[in-house]
Amino acid sequence: MPIQSIYITPGIAVARLGAATAPVCNYQWVDVEQPRYDGETTIAPTWSLEVGPDGSVTPVLPDAIEFRDGDKVRPVAPFFEVWARVGPVGSSAESWEEAPLTPALLVAEGLSPADLKISVTATNRKAARRSGNAAVAFGTREPVVLQDGDHSVKAINGVSPAGSTPPMIPSGRAIPLGSVQLMKNLTQPLGQSWSDSINLEVFRFRYRPAAGLFYGPPEAAQAQPAAGRPEPAVQPENAFLDPGAGWFNVATNNLVEPGDTYDVVDQTAARGPSLGVVDDTCEVHFEAALTTDGVSRLSARAVVFVAPPDFAPDRRPFLSVADELNDRTADWSTRNGSMNDDELDQWTEDFFERVYETVSLFNVDHYREDRAGSLPPTNLRANDLDDGQRAGRDRALGGRDGLRNELYKLSSATQNHPLPLSEHARMRHRQLSDLQNVEALVLLDPNRLKNIIRPPFERENFENGDESSMRMPPFMRQSNALPLSVAGWQYELLMRWLNKTIAKQQVQPMIVAGLGPQKRTLSESAATRRDAVLARLVVEQR
């Protein structure tokens, strides 16, 4: 059947910086038989591709996942594949079938592998955004082109825009922004354990990010202890940027939030002029085009965002890139409504498990000290729940915070317990990672979840980029520095589950008149955790 359209998969990916030679292997989140003390999942290696010097690929299943080679971090270097949608001439798009784009499929269309061209561009606009000056962006001026017959590794170099006077990156210099390589199309073997999940014939390319280095003007390679910079910000070999280009020593306070996300000349000041430092993160765009006689027939696009290494790859965040994208789809409300009660329960428990895995990484004491807002009188209770043991009783999560749960009294930090808030948060959210305990919380106070969980993008009058309340997630902020919240579709599902649970408890109360408390069966995950704790206690007692 004729090729009706092409697309690149994945359409969006995240690459992660690293200076090691070997990239991280492919891995996935898996449920564990005995959950970790700080989460319900772990990571396990899955089928990966080893790339030969000639661009050939070999499927391998690693025994372990390595994130470092000595002191060098392994990068995350994603693969991309080009696929086609095929269907009879004049057929509707709904009837088209997906198929990997292979040399054989192109030949059947009267094309050749040389008719597929992949163009790659990369840009870093951080300094341009912070300064309001497009001239201090940097990236590729001309696309890097991948085409059949050339399977070499192609460098992606960042330079200043043409016509910049003076250019931030001097003529003849460049900031490496990674590399890209087109893989060889190989014959697909049959009967291999990976044959159903990996196709060696498809057009595939790989992006490898940069090492994770900083660059700046000569000033940035000098230590300035009096200005709060005891060590150089960049290595001498990377201090070649032109200080007169419009990024060094430029005040950016009113142009970007949060304003503390860039190096400043004087770090002893709250916010000062820029030190002129940039990094090698970037946004990379790929365009695949099928052309005949130089005329483009079909095209497809994809993008990769280059980010720092993942410091907790085995923790599932409660708010992910996928959740954010899902929030922007037109049909999320319809799909939410189609969930039955069992699916809604499973989703809600999974959500609270993800919350716990995030909390297990969080220093609540530090962020409360740094970002807890001073509460207005309407948000304060008359009594101090902590009996004066903790400072800042009128600040968020203090003893007079009206959002506090009256069942829990918090102590001040001690030598044996230096992070009491963090310990309490982990204990409490560990409990709530089991849905039965969330249901019990609703039974005690039907309004608790509604009061404590922040609705999407909601901000109280006293909250800003520096101070917020303890509404969940507490003291975390989004990219524009305002208080972080869950996505709209997540909040809608949580409220739907809450209303369902309240209605259920009103019809089937936990205490049946004349019969006493009903026996509750532990969920499978709760029973597993109980058995793991009991087994550990037996070992500790020996």
Side-chain angles (χ1 to χ4, degrees), residues 121-134 136-140 247 278-279 281-285:
T121 57
T123 310
N124 180 316
R125 293 188 175 89
K126 286 184 179 180
R129 176 174 180 256
R130 285 158 171 74
S131 65
N133 180 5
V136 295
F138 60 94
T140 53
W247 175 224
V278 298
D279 59 37
T281 59
C282 58
E283 183 177 314
V284 188
H285 289 244

mmCIF file with all atom_site columns, all heavy atoms in Angstrom, residues 121-134 136-140 247 278-279 281-285:
data_model
loop_
_atom_site.group_PDB
_atom_site.id
_atom_site.type_symbol
_atom_site.label_atom_id
_atom_site.label_alt_id
_atom_site.label_comp_id
_atom_site.label_asym_id
_atom_site.label_entity_id
_atom_site.label_seq_id
_atom_site.pdbx_PDB_ins_code
_atom_site.Cartn_x
_atom_site.Cartn_y
_atom_site.Cartn_z
_atom_site.occupancy
_atom_site.B_iso_or_equiv
_atom_site.pdbx_formal_charge
_atom_site.auth_seq_id
_atom_site.auth_comp_id
_atom_site.auth_asym_id
_atom_site.auth_atom_id
_atom_site.pdbx_PDB_model_num
ATOM 1   N N   . THR A 1 121 ? 18.872 20.496 13.795 1.00 0.00 ? 121 THR A N   1
ATOM 2   C CA  . THR A 1 121 ? 19.276 21.817 14.283 1.00 0.00 ? 121 THR A CA  1
ATOM 3   C C   . THR A 1 121 ? 19.201 21.825 15.809 1.00 0.00 ? 121 THR A C   1
ATOM 4   O O   . THR A 1 121 ? 18.394 21.104 16.409 1.00 0.00 ? 121 THR A O   1
ATOM 5   C CB  . THR A 1 121 ? 18.371 22.930 13.734 1.00 0.00 ? 121 THR A CB  1
ATOM 6   O OG1 . THR A 1 121 ? 17.002 22.644 14.088 1.00 0.00 ? 121 THR A OG1 1
ATOM 7   C CG2 . THR A 1 121 ? 18.480 23.029 12.218 1.00 0.00 ? 121 THR A CG2 1
ATOM 8   N N   . ALA A 1 122 ? 20.051 22.638 16.434 1.00 0.00 ? 122 ALA A N   1
ATOM 9   C CA  . ALA A 1 122 ? 20.083 22.712 17.898 1.00 0.00 ? 122 ALA A CA  1
ATOM 10  C C   . ALA A 1 122 ? 20.310 24.157 18.325 1.00 0.00 ? 122 ALA A C   1
ATOM 11  O O   . ALA A 1 122 ? 21.049 24.899 17.672 1.00 0.00 ? 122 ALA A O   1
ATOM 12  C CB  . ALA A 1 122 ? 21.191 21.825 18.453 1.00 0.00 ? 122 ALA A CB  1
ATOM 13  N N   . THR A 1 123 ? 19.672 24.549 19.421 1.00 0.00 ? 123 THR A N   1
ATOM 14  C CA  . THR A 1 123 ? 19.783 25.929 19.909 1.00 0.00 ? 123 THR A CA  1
ATOM 15  C C   . THR A 1 123 ? 19.727 25.961 21.433 1.00 0.00 ? 123 THR A C   1
ATOM 16  O O   . THR A 1 123 ? 18.980 25.199 22.044 1.00 0.00 ? 123 THR A O   1
ATOM 17  C CB  . THR A 1 123 ? 18.643 26.806 19.353 1.00 0.00 ? 123 THR A CB  1
ATOM 18  O OG1 . THR A 1 123 ? 18.544 26.643 17.941 1.00 0.00 ? 123 THR A OG1 1
ATOM 19  C CG2 . THR A 1 123 ? 18.897 28.274 19.667 1.00 0.00 ? 123 THR A CG2 1
ATOM 20  N N   . ASN A 1 124 ? 20.509 26.857 22.021 1.00 0.00 ? 124 ASN A N   1
ATOM 21  C CA  . ASN A 1 124 ? 20.431 27.181 23.446 1.00 0.00 ? 124 ASN A CA  1
ATOM 22  C C   . ASN A 1 124 ? 20.049 28.658 23.547 1.00 0.00 ? 124 ASN A C   1
ATOM 23  O O   . ASN A 1 124 ? 20.818 29.528 23.124 1.00 0.00 ? 124 ASN A O   1
ATOM 24  C CB  . ASN A 1 124 ? 21.773 26.921 24.132 1.00 0.00 ? 124 ASN A CB  1
ATOM 25  C CG  . ASN A 1 124 ? 21.755 27.249 25.621 1.00 0.00 ? 124 ASN A CG  1
ATOM 26  O OD1 . ASN A 1 124 ? 21.238 28.281 26.043 1.00 0.00 ? 124 ASN A OD1 1
ATOM 27  N ND2 . ASN A 1 124 ? 22.358 26.386 26.429 1.00 0.00 ? 124 ASN A ND2 1
ATOM 28  N N   . ARG A 1 125 ? 18.867 28.946 24.100 1.00 0.00 ? 125 ARG A N   1
ATOM 29  C CA  . ARG A 1 125 ? 18.366 30.320 24.184 1.00 0.00 ? 125 ARG A CA  1
ATOM 30  C C   . ARG A 1 125 ? 18.265 30.818 25.618 1.00 0.00 ? 125 ARG A C   1
ATOM 31  O O   . ARG A 1 125 ? 17.573 31.794 25.894 1.00 0.00 ? 125 ARG A O   1
ATOM 32  C CB  . ARG A 1 125 ? 16.995 30.427 23.508 1.00 0.00 ? 125 ARG A CB  1
ATOM 33  C CG  . ARG A 1 125 ? 17.031 30.214 22.000 1.00 0.00 ? 125 ARG A CG  1
ATOM 34  C CD  . ARG A 1 125 ? 15.674 30.541 21.373 1.00 0.00 ? 125 ARG A CD  1
ATOM 35  N NE  . ARG A 1 125 ? 15.721 30.459 19.927 1.00 0.00 ? 125 ARG A NE  1
ATOM 36  C CZ  . ARG A 1 125 ? 15.482 29.361 19.219 1.00 0.00 ? 125 ARG A CZ  1
ATOM 37  N NH1 . ARG A 1 125 ? 15.209 28.229 19.865 1.00 0.00 ? 125 ARG A NH1 1
ATOM 38  N NH2 . ARG A 1 125 ? 15.548 29.368 17.904 1.00 0.00 ? 125 ARG A NH2 1
ATOM 39  N N   . LYS A 1 126 ? 18.938 30.162 26.559 1.00 0.00 ? 126 LYS A N   1
ATOM 40  C CA  . LYS A 1 126 ? 18.809 30.567 27.956 1.00 0.00 ? 126 LYS A CA  1
ATOM 41  C C   . LYS A 1 126 ? 19.247 32.009 28.172 1.00 0.00 ? 126 LYS A C   1
ATOM 42  O O   . LYS A 1 126 ? 18.533 32.819 28.775 1.00 0.00 ? 126 LYS A O   1
ATOM 43  C CB  . LYS A 1 126 ? 19.641 29.638 28.838 1.00 0.00 ? 126 LYS A CB  1
ATOM 44  C CG  . LYS A 1 126 ? 19.056 28.254 29.049 1.00 0.00 ? 126 LYS A CG  1
ATOM 45  C CD  . LYS A 1 126 ? 19.918 27.480 30.022 1.00 0.00 ? 126 LYS A CD  1
ATOM 46  C CE  . LYS A 1 126 ? 19.358 26.097 30.292 1.00 0.00 ? 126 LYS A CE  1
ATOM 47  N NZ  . LYS A 1 126 ? 20.218 25.358 31.252 1.00 0.00 ? 126 LYS A NZ  1
ATOM 48  N N   . ALA A 1 127 ? 20.442 32.337 27.703 1.00 0.00 ? 127 ALA A N   1
ATOM 49  C CA  . ALA A 1 127 ? 20.947 33.697 27.913 1.00 0.00 ? 127 ALA A CA  1
ATOM 50  C C   . ALA A 1 127 ? 20.080 34.719 27.199 1.00 0.00 ? 127 ALA A C   1
ATOM 51  O O   . ALA A 1 127 ? 19.848 35.823 27.703 1.00 0.00 ? 127 ALA A O   1
ATOM 52  C CB  . ALA A 1 127 ? 22.392 33.796 27.434 1.00 0.00 ? 127 ALA A CB  1
ATOM 53  N N   . ALA A 1 128 ? 19.582 34.349 26.008 1.00 0.00 ? 128 ALA A N   1
ATOM 54  C CA  . ALA A 1 128 ? 18.725 35.271 25.257 1.00 0.00 ? 128 ALA A CA  1
ATOM 55  C C   . ALA A 1 128 ? 17.437 35.544 26.020 1.00 0.00 ? 128 ALA A C   1
ATOM 56  O O   . ALA A 1 128 ? 16.944 36.686 26.059 1.00 0.00 ? 128 ALA A O   1
ATOM 57  C CB  . ALA A 1 128 ? 18.422 34.689 23.882 1.00 0.00 ? 128 ALA A CB  1
ATOM 58  N N   . ARG A 1 129 ? 16.881 34.539 26.641 1.00 0.00 ? 129 ARG A N   1
ATOM 59  C CA  . ARG A 1 129 ? 15.635 34.721 27.406 1.00 0.00 ? 129 ARG A CA  1
ATOM 60  C C   . ARG A 1 129 ? 15.880 35.582 28.639 1.00 0.00 ? 129 ARG A C   1
ATOM 61  O O   . ARG A 1 129 ? 15.079 36.466 28.975 1.00 0.00 ? 129 ARG A O   1
ATOM 62  C CB  . ARG A 1 129 ? 15.071 33.364 27.816 1.00 0.00 ? 129 ARG A CB  1
ATOM 63  C CG  . ARG A 1 129 ? 13.818 33.463 28.694 1.00 0.00 ? 129 ARG A CG  1
ATOM 64  C CD  . ARG A 1 129 ? 13.210 32.104 28.953 1.00 0.00 ? 129 ARG A CD  1
ATOM 65  N NE  . ARG A 1 129 ? 12.021 32.222 29.786 1.00 0.00 ? 129 ARG A NE  1
ATOM 66  C CZ  . ARG A 1 129 ? 11.975 31.914 31.082 1.00 0.00 ? 129 ARG A CZ  1
ATOM 67  N NH1 . ARG A 1 129 ? 13.052 31.482 31.698 1.00 0.00 ? 129 ARG A NH1 1
ATOM 68  N NH2 . ARG A 1 129 ? 10.860 32.039 31.766 1.00 0.00 ? 129 ARG A NH2 1
ATOM 69  N N   . ARG A 1 130 ? 16.985 35.344 29.311 1.00 0.00 ? 130 ARG A N   1
ATOM 70  C CA  . ARG A 1 130 ? 17.241 36.073 30.543 1.00 0.00 ? 130 ARG A CA  1
ATOM 71  C C   . ARG A 1 130 ? 17.645 37.520 30.304 1.00 0.00 ? 130 ARG A C   1
ATOM 72  O O   . ARG A 1 130 ? 17.404 38.382 31.141 1.00 0.00 ? 130 ARG A O   1
ATOM 73  C CB  . ARG A 1 130 ? 18.318 35.342 31.342 1.00 0.00 ? 130 ARG A CB  1
ATOM 74  C CG  . ARG A 1 130 ? 17.790 34.080 32.026 1.00 0.00 ? 130 ARG A CG  1
ATOM 75  C CD  . ARG A 1 130 ? 18.901 33.107 32.355 1.00 0.00 ? 130 ARG A CD  1
ATOM 76  N NE  . ARG A 1 130 ? 18.423 32.006 33.186 1.00 0.00 ? 130 ARG A NE  1
ATOM 77  C CZ  . ARG A 1 130 ? 17.679 30.998 32.753 1.00 0.00 ? 130 ARG A CZ  1
ATOM 78  N NH1 . ARG A 1 130 ? 17.324 30.942 31.480 1.00 0.00 ? 130 ARG A NH1 1
ATOM 79  N NH2 . ARG A 1 130 ? 17.273 30.044 33.565 1.00 0.00 ? 130 ARG A NH2 1
ATOM 80  N N   . SER A 1 131 ? 18.280 37.783 29.161 1.00 0.00 ? 131 SER A N   1
ATOM 81  C CA  . SER A 1 131 ? 18.745 39.139 28.884 1.00 0.00 ? 131 SER A CA  1
ATOM 82  C C   . SER A 1 131 ? 17.830 39.908 27.947 1.00 0.00 ? 131 SER A C   1
ATOM 83  O O   . SER A 1 131 ? 17.951 41.129 27.818 1.00 0.00 ? 131 SER A O   1
ATOM 84  C CB  . SER A 1 131 ? 20.146 39.086 28.271 1.00 0.00 ? 131 SER A CB  1
ATOM 85  O OG  . SER A 1 131 ? 20.107 38.443 27.004 1.00 0.00 ? 131 SER A OG  1
ATOM 86  N N   . GLY A 1 132 ? 16.921 39.209 27.262 1.00 0.00 ? 132 GLY A N   1
ATOM 87  C CA  . GLY A 1 132 ? 16.089 39.867 26.262 1.00 0.00 ? 132 GLY A CA  1
ATOM 88  C C   . GLY A 1 132 ? 16.867 40.222 25.010 1.00 0.00 ? 132 GLY A C   1
ATOM 89  O O   . GLY A 1 132 ? 16.437 41.079 24.227 1.00 0.00 ? 132 GLY A O   1
ATOM 90  N N   . ASN A 1 133 ? 17.988 39.540 24.780 1.00 0.00 ? 133 ASN A N   1
ATOM 91  C CA  . ASN A 1 133 ? 18.882 39.844 23.664 1.00 0.00 ? 133 ASN A CA  1
ATOM 92  C C   . ASN A 1 133 ? 19.076 38.587 22.825 1.00 0.00 ? 133 ASN A C   1
ATOM 93  O O   . ASN A 1 133 ? 19.788 37.662 23.235 1.00 0.00 ? 133 ASN A O   1
ATOM 94  C CB  . ASN A 1 133 ? 20.218 40.359 24.197 1.00 0.00 ? 133 ASN A CB  1
ATOM 95  C CG  . ASN A 1 133 ? 21.199 40.708 23.090 1.00 0.00 ? 133 ASN A CG  1
ATOM 96  O OD1 . ASN A 1 133 ? 20.870 40.652 21.913 1.00 0.00 ? 133 ASN A OD1 1
ATOM 97  N ND2 . ASN A 1 133 ? 22.415 41.080 23.476 1.00 0.00 ? 133 ASN A ND2 1
ATOM 98  N N   . ALA A 1 134 ? 18.455 38.540 21.643 1.00 0.00 ? 134 ALA A N   1
ATOM 99  C CA  . ALA A 1 134 ? 18.525 37.359 20.790 1.00 0.00 ? 134 ALA A CA  1
ATOM 100 C C   . ALA A 1 134 ? 19.941 37.068 20.316 1.00 0.00 ? 134 ALA A C   1
ATOM 101 O O   . ALA A 1 134 ? 20.251 35.928 19.916 1.00 0.00 ? 134 ALA A O   1
ATOM 102 C CB  . ALA A 1 134 ? 17.602 37.530 19.584 1.00 0.00 ? 134 ALA A CB  1
ATOM 103 N N   . VAL A 1 136 ? 22.593 36.692 21.970 1.00 0.00 ? 136 VAL A N   1
ATOM 104 C CA  . VAL A 1 136 ? 23.391 35.822 22.840 1.00 0.00 ? 136 VAL A CA  1
ATOM 105 C C   . VAL A 1 136 ? 22.842 34.394 22.878 1.00 0.00 ? 136 VAL A C   1
ATOM 106 O O   . VAL A 1 136 ? 23.274 33.578 23.691 1.00 0.00 ? 136 VAL A O   1
ATOM 107 C CB  . VAL A 1 136 ? 23.512 36.402 24.263 1.00 0.00 ? 136 VAL A CB  1
ATOM 108 C CG1 . VAL A 1 136 ? 24.291 37.694 24.234 1.00 0.00 ? 136 VAL A CG1 1
ATOM 109 C CG2 . VAL A 1 136 ? 22.146 36.615 24.900 1.00 0.00 ? 136 VAL A CG2 1
ATOM 110 N N   . ALA A 1 137 ? 21.883 34.083 22.011 1.00 0.00 ? 137 ALA A N   1
ATOM 111 C CA  . ALA A 1 137 ? 21.530 32.689 21.769 1.00 0.00 ? 137 ALA A CA  1
ATOM 112 C C   . ALA A 1 137 ? 22.663 32.060 20.962 1.00 0.00 ? 137 ALA A C   1
ATOM 113 O O   . ALA A 1 137 ? 23.471 32.757 20.341 1.00 0.00 ? 137 ALA A O   1
ATOM 114 C CB  . ALA A 1 137 ? 20.217 32.592 21.005 1.00 0.00 ? 137 ALA A CB  1
ATOM 115 N N   . PHE A 1 138 ? 22.740 30.744 20.951 1.00 0.00 ? 138 PHE A N   1
ATOM 116 C CA  . PHE A 1 138 ? 23.746 30.088 20.117 1.00 0.00 ? 138 PHE A CA  1
ATOM 117 C C   . PHE A 1 138 ? 23.236 28.713 19.702 1.00 0.00 ? 138 PHE A C   1
ATOM 118 O O   . PHE A 1 138 ? 22.392 28.112 20.372 1.00 0.00 ? 138 PHE A O   1
ATOM 119 C CB  . PHE A 1 138 ? 25.103 29.993 20.826 1.00 0.00 ? 138 PHE A CB  1
ATOM 120 C CG  . PHE A 1 138 ? 25.083 29.214 22.120 1.00 0.00 ? 138 PHE A CG  1
ATOM 121 C CD1 . PHE A 1 138 ? 25.399 27.869 22.150 1.00 0.00 ? 138 PHE A CD1 1
ATOM 122 C CD2 . PHE A 1 138 ? 24.764 29.849 23.318 1.00 0.00 ? 138 PHE A CD2 1
ATOM 123 C CE1 . PHE A 1 138 ? 25.398 27.160 23.338 1.00 0.00 ? 138 PHE A CE1 1
ATOM 124 C CE2 . PHE A 1 138 ? 24.759 29.150 24.523 1.00 0.00 ? 138 PHE A CE2 1
ATOM 125 C CZ  . PHE A 1 138 ? 25.074 27.798 24.527 1.00 0.00 ? 138 PHE A CZ  1
ATOM 126 N N   . GLY A 1 139 ? 23.733 28.245 18.580 1.00 0.00 ? 139 GLY A N   1
ATOM 127 C CA  . GLY A 1 139 ? 23.311 26.951 18.057 1.00 0.00 ? 139 GLY A CA  1
ATOM 128 C C   . GLY A 1 139 ? 23.839 26.754 16.650 1.00 0.00 ? 139 GLY A C   1
ATOM 129 O O   . GLY A 1 139 ? 24.797 27.400 16.213 1.00 0.00 ? 139 GLY A O   1
ATOM 130 N N   . THR A 1 140 ? 23.195 25.851 15.891 1.00 0.00 ? 140 THR A N   1
ATOM 131 C CA  . THR A 1 140 ? 23.610 25.571 14.518 1.00 0.00 ? 140 THR A CA  1
ATOM 132 C C   . THR A 1 140 ? 23.105 26.675 13.593 1.00 0.00 ? 140 THR A C   1
ATOM 133 O O   . THR A 1 140 ? 21.972 27.140 13.727 1.00 0.00 ? 140 THR A O   1
ATOM 134 C CB  . THR A 1 140 ? 23.052 24.230 14.055 1.00 0.00 ? 140 THR A CB  1
ATOM 135 O OG1 . THR A 1 140 ? 21.629 24.220 14.280 1.00 0.00 ? 140 THR A OG1 1
ATOM 136 C CG2 . THR A 1 140 ? 23.657 23.068 14.829 1.00 0.00 ? 140 THR A CG2 1
ATOM 137 N N   . TRP A 1 247 ? 25.902 39.504 27.329 1.00 0.00 ? 247 TRP A N   1
ATOM 138 C CA  . TRP A 1 247 ? 25.415 38.602 28.371 1.00 0.00 ? 247 TRP A CA  1
ATOM 139 C C   . TRP A 1 247 ? 26.164 38.836 29.682 1.00 0.00 ? 247 TRP A C   1
ATOM 140 O O   . TRP A 1 247 ? 25.580 38.840 30.755 1.00 0.00 ? 247 TRP A O   1
ATOM 141 C CB  . TRP A 1 247 ? 25.553 37.152 27.926 1.00 0.00 ? 247 TRP A CB  1
ATOM 142 C CG  . TRP A 1 247 ? 25.190 36.102 28.947 1.00 0.00 ? 247 TRP A CG  1
ATOM 143 C CD1 . TRP A 1 247 ? 25.879 34.965 29.235 1.00 0.00 ? 247 TRP A CD1 1
ATOM 144 C CD2 . TRP A 1 247 ? 24.036 36.062 29.803 1.00 0.00 ? 247 TRP A CD2 1
ATOM 145 N NE1 . TRP A 1 247 ? 25.264 34.237 30.223 1.00 0.00 ? 247 TRP A NE1 1
ATOM 146 C CE2 . TRP A 1 247 ? 24.107 34.890 30.582 1.00 0.00 ? 247 TRP A CE2 1
ATOM 147 C CE3 . TRP A 1 247 ? 22.950 36.922 29.996 1.00 0.00 ? 247 TRP A CE3 1
ATOM 148 C CZ2 . TRP A 1 247 ? 23.158 34.548 31.529 1.00 0.00 ? 247 TRP A CZ2 1
ATOM 149 C CZ3 . TRP A 1 247 ? 21.981 36.579 30.951 1.00 0.00 ? 247 TRP A CZ3 1
ATOM 150 C CH2 . TRP A 1 247 ? 22.093 35.399 31.700 1.00 0.00 ? 247 TRP A CH2 1
ATOM 151 N N   . VAL A 1 278 ? 27.200 30.189 30.358 1.00 0.00 ? 278 VAL A N   1
ATOM 152 C CA  . VAL A 1 278 ? 26.192 29.386 29.662 1.00 0.00 ? 278 VAL A CA  1
ATOM 153 C C   . VAL A 1 278 ? 26.583 27.917 29.802 1.00 0.00 ? 278 VAL A C   1
ATOM 154 O O   . VAL A 1 278 ? 27.705 27.594 30.214 1.00 0.00 ? 278 VAL A O   1
ATOM 155 C CB  . VAL A 1 278 ? 26.080 29.766 28.164 1.00 0.00 ? 278 VAL A CB  1
ATOM 156 C CG1 . VAL A 1 278 ? 25.636 31.203 27.994 1.00 0.00 ? 278 VAL A CG1 1
ATOM 157 C CG2 . VAL A 1 278 ? 27.397 29.524 27.436 1.00 0.00 ? 278 VAL A CG2 1
ATOM 158 N N   . ASP A 1 279 ? 25.660 27.023 29.453 1.00 0.00 ? 279 ASP A N   1
ATOM 159 C CA  . ASP A 1 279 ? 25.966 25.591 29.507 1.00 0.00 ? 279 ASP A CA  1
ATOM 160 C C   . ASP A 1 279 ? 25.667 24.957 28.157 1.00 0.00 ? 279 ASP A C   1
ATOM 161 O O   . ASP A 1 279 ? 25.264 25.628 27.217 1.00 0.00 ? 279 ASP A O   1
ATOM 162 C CB  . ASP A 1 279 ? 25.188 24.904 30.636 1.00 0.00 ? 279 ASP A CB  1
ATOM 163 C CG  . ASP A 1 279 ? 23.675 25.051 30.482 1.00 0.00 ? 279 ASP A CG  1
ATOM 164 O OD1 . ASP A 1 279 ? 23.180 25.005 29.337 1.00 0.00 ? 279 ASP A OD1 1
ATOM 165 O OD2 . ASP A 1 279 ? 22.980 25.211 31.512 1.00 0.00 ? 279 ASP A OD2 1
ATOM 166 N N   . THR A 1 281 ? 23.394 22.530 27.540 1.00 0.00 ? 281 THR A N   1
ATOM 167 C CA  . THR A 1 281 ? 22.051 22.015 27.297 1.00 0.00 ? 281 THR A CA  1
ATOM 168 C C   . THR A 1 281 ? 21.501 22.699 26.040 1.00 0.00 ? 281 THR A C   1
ATOM 169 O O   . THR A 1 281 ? 21.998 23.742 25.625 1.00 0.00 ? 281 THR A O   1
ATOM 170 C CB  . THR A 1 281 ? 21.110 22.292 28.482 1.00 0.00 ? 281 THR A CB  1
ATOM 171 O OG1 . THR A 1 281 ? 21.052 23.701 28.708 1.00 0.00 ? 281 THR A OG1 1
ATOM 172 C CG2 . THR A 1 281 ? 21.595 21.595 29.742 1.00 0.00 ? 281 THR A CG2 1
ATOM 173 N N   . CYS A 1 282 ? 20.461 22.133 25.467 1.00 0.00 ? 282 CYS A N   1
ATOM 174 C CA  . CYS A 1 282 ? 19.904 22.729 24.258 1.00 0.00 ? 282 CYS A CA  1
ATOM 175 C C   . CYS A 1 282 ? 18.594 22.043 23.905 1.00 0.00 ? 282 CYS A C   1
ATOM 176 O O   . CYS A 1 282 ? 18.180 21.085 24.554 1.00 0.00 ? 282 CYS A O   1
ATOM 177 C CB  . CYS A 1 282 ? 20.869 22.631 23.070 1.00 0.00 ? 282 CYS A CB  1
ATOM 178 S SG  . CYS A 1 282 ? 21.353 20.940 22.651 1.00 0.00 ? 282 CYS A SG  1
ATOM 179 N N   . GLU A 1 283 ? 17.957 22.570 22.892 1.00 0.00 ? 283 GLU A N   1
ATOM 180 C CA  . GLU A 1 283 ? 16.751 21.969 22.308 1.00 0.00 ? 283 GLU A CA  1
ATOM 181 C C   . GLU A 1 283 ? 17.113 21.586 20.877 1.00 0.00 ? 283 GLU A C   1
ATOM 182 O O   . GLU A 1 283 ? 17.593 22.416 20.112 1.00 0.00 ? 283 GLU A O   1
ATOM 183 C CB  . GLU A 1 283 ? 15.607 22.964 22.337 1.00 0.00 ? 283 GLU A CB  1
ATOM 184 C CG  . GLU A 1 283 ? 14.283 22.435 21.814 1.00 0.00 ? 283 GLU A CG  1
ATOM 185 C CD  . GLU A 1 283 ? 13.169 23.458 21.952 1.00 0.00 ? 283 GLU A CD  1
ATOM 186 O OE1 . GLU A 1 283 ? 13.053 24.065 23.043 1.00 0.00 ? 283 GLU A OE1 1
ATOM 187 O OE2 . GLU A 1 283 ? 12.433 23.670 20.966 1.00 0.00 ? 283 GLU A OE2 1
ATOM 188 N N   . VAL A 1 284 ? 16.894 20.325 20.527 1.00 0.00 ? 284 VAL A N   1
ATOM 189 C CA  . VAL A 1 284 ? 17.310 19.811 19.225 1.00 0.00 ? 284 VAL A CA  1
ATOM 190 C C   . VAL A 1 284 ? 16.075 19.426 18.418 1.00 0.00 ? 284 VAL A C   1
ATOM 191 O O   . VAL A 1 284 ? 15.200 18.714 18.919 1.00 0.00 ? 284 VAL A O   1
ATOM 192 C CB  . VAL A 1 284 ? 18.238 18.587 19.370 1.00 0.00 ? 284 VAL A CB  1
ATOM 193 C CG1 . VAL A 1 284 ? 18.810 18.179 18.012 1.00 0.00 ? 284 VAL A CG1 1
ATOM 194 C CG2 . VAL A 1 284 ? 19.367 18.875 20.355 1.00 0.00 ? 284 VAL A CG2 1
ATOM 195 N N   . HIS A 1 285 ? 16.015 19.899 17.188 1.00 0.00 ? 285 HIS A N   1
ATOM 196 C CA  . HIS A 1 285 ? 14.892 19.602 16.306 1.00 0.00 ? 285 HIS A CA  1
ATOM 197 C C   . HIS A 1 285 ? 15.350 18.707 15.156 1.00 0.00 ? 285 HIS A C   1
ATOM 198 O O   . HIS A 1 285 ? 16.420 18.932 14.578 1.00 0.00 ? 285 HIS A O   1
ATOM 199 C CB  . HIS A 1 285 ? 14.295 20.898 15.743 1.00 0.00 ? 285 HIS A CB  1
ATOM 200 C CG  . HIS A 1 285 ? 13.559 21.702 16.770 1.00 0.00 ? 285 HIS A CG  1
ATOM 201 N ND1 . HIS A 1 285 ? 12.209 21.948 16.696 1.00 0.00 ? 285 HIS A ND1 1
ATOM 202 C CD2 . HIS A 1 285 ? 13.970 22.293 17.916 1.00 0.00 ? 285 HIS A CD2 1
ATOM 203 C CE1 . HIS A 1 285 ? 11.825 22.662 17.724 1.00 0.00 ? 285 HIS A CE1 1
ATOM 204 N NE2 . HIS A 1 285 ? 12.887 22.889 18.483 1.00 0.00 ? 285 HIS A NE2 1
#
